[in-house]
């Protein structure tokens, strides 16, 4: 494992911890899209179907379990926790995420590296992850001001995928190995979706001001 892959994994893990900190410390999920969290839960469950059949390493197994359980825990809190669910911005979180699910699964059935159940679901998870952040970004634009923890969560989530792009570049030139092309293309699309958010995030950091996304 190279430094870029490790940095990507750790950034992803920290983003989840930041979100859990926001929910459990403040007892609030204001500014967080439940639809995005549901999409991520689907991403991890679909991608890690091999959890109990293929053993790669202790690290790999632990990370898979952590991401599955944490994503399900976040969805549960936002839907079921008596206090947390009261702060959910349901009126702003109206992105039709079901369309993303249907389209991504349809593309996965047609475009995959091998037409098997596991590979189709793997491709589906990759395509869905690329666009899963859309409901969250739309919600933030509609709400305008973004609190610090939510802003850090989204920034770290985008940073994780950026590190993975560096990981693929490193593996291509140094290890003479090329990542799956589906992952590479989807990763570039996913990172591009964060471009506008990154711009305003760095602008607010530079000016030491509260993060604000124009509608």
């Amino acid at each position: 494992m190279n430094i870029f892959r490790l940095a990507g994994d750790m950034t992803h893990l920290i983003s989840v911890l930041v979100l859990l900190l926001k929910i459990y410390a403040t007892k609030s999920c204001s500014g967080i899209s439940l639809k995005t969290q549901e999409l991520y839960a689907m991403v991890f469950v679909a991608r890690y179907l091999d959890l109990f059949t293929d053993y790669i390493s202790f690290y790999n197994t632990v990370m898979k379990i952590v991401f599955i359980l944490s994503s399900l825990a976040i969805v549960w809190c936002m839907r079921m926790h008596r206090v947390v669910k009261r702060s959910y911005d349901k009126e702003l979180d109206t992105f039709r995420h079901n369309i993303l699910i249907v389209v991504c699964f349809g593309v996965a059935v047609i475009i995959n590296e091998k037409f098997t159940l596991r590979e189709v679901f793997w491709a589906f998870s990759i395509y869905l992850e690329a666009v899963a952040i859309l409901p969250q970004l739309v919600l933030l634009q509609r709400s305008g001001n973004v609190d610090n923890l939510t802003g850090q969560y989204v920034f770290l989530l985008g940073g994780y995928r950026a590190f993975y792009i560096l990981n693929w570049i490193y593996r291509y030139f140094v290890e003479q190995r090329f990542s799956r092309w589906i992952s590479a293309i989807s990763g570039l699309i996913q990172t591009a979706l964060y471009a506008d958010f990154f711009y305003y995030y760095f602008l607010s950091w530079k000016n030491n001001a509260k993060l604000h996304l124009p509608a």
Side-chain angles (χ1 to χ4, degrees):
M1 180 186 298
N2 61 69
I3 187 63
F4 299 113
R5 167 71 184 276
L6 181 61
D9 286 346
M10 292 302 103
T11 303
H12 194 185
L13 181 60
I14 293 172
S15 74
V16 173
L17 294 177
V18 167
L19 180 53
L20 288 171
L21 173 64
K22 170 186 170 64
I23 292 175
Y24 283 99
T26 66
K27 296 295 187 295
S28 171
C29 61
S30 177
I32 301 299
S33 168
L34 172 61
K35 295 185 177 182
T36 282
Q37 298 309 314
E38 289 176 338
L39 292 178
Y40 278 127
M42 294 185 65
V43 165
F44 297 131
V45 171
R47 183 172 304 168
Y48 301 141
L49 291 176
D50 64 344
L51 183 60
F52 300 107
T53 58
D54 298 334
Y55 179 80
I56 299 175
S57 68
F58 178 76
Y59 171 86
N60 183 273
T61 299
V62 169
M63 293 297 281
K64 288 178 179 179
I65 294 174
V66 167
F67 286 125
I68 290 175
L69 293 182
S70 61
S71 63
L72 293 176
I74 291 168
V75 171
W76 181 88
C77 280
M78 295 184 69
R79 280 190 170 275
M80 306 299 294
H81 193 284
R82 183 171 56 86
V83 177
V84 173
K85 69 179 183 179
R86 293 176 183 172
S87 59
Y88 171 48
D89 302 317
K90 186 176 182 179
E91 296 76 14
L92 298 178
D93 193 20
T94 58
F95 192 98
R96 299 178 66 182
H97 67 320
N98 291 335
I99 295 177
L100 297 179
I101 297 172
V102 173
V103 171
C104 288
F105 189 78
V107 173
V109 170
I110 299 171
I111 305 176
N112 53 71
E113 296 185 356
K114 188 177 182 181
F115 192 70
T116 63
L117 181 65
R118 183 182 298 180
E119 286 298 317
V120 169
F121 273 95
W122 178 84
F124 167 66
S125 76
I126 296 297
Y127 297 141
L128 190 61
E129 184 181 19
V131 296
I133 196 63
L134 284 174
Q136 179 66 65
L137 294 177
V138 170
L139 187 153
L140 293 181
Q141 285 185 325
R142 289 175 177 174
S143 62
N145 292 324
V146 184
D147 67 78
N148 289 334
L149 287 177
T150 302
Q152 291 170 12
Y153 162 68
V154 177
F155 175 77
L156 290 167
L157 204 55
Y160 129 74
R161 184 49 68 178
F163 275 122
Y164 259 66
I165 291 177
L166 294 176
N167 161 58
W168 297 326
I169 294 174
Y170 175 88
R171 295 183 67 182
Y172 178 77
F173 287 104
V174 178
E175 300 177 1
Q176 301 299 310
R177 296 175 62 189
F178 185 69
S179 178
R180 294 185 176 188
W181 65 271
I182 289 177
S183 293
I185 295 175
S186 298
L188 289 171
I189 294 173
Q190 183 179 355
T191 305
L193 293 176
Y194 286 89
D196 191 58
F197 177 86
F198 283 158
Y199 171 77
Y200 288 104
Y201 184 91
F202 282 115
L203 200 63
S204 67
W205 175 78
K206 179 181 178 181
N207 297 327
N208 194 27
K210 187 176 179 62
L211 178 60
H212 176 79
L213 300 180

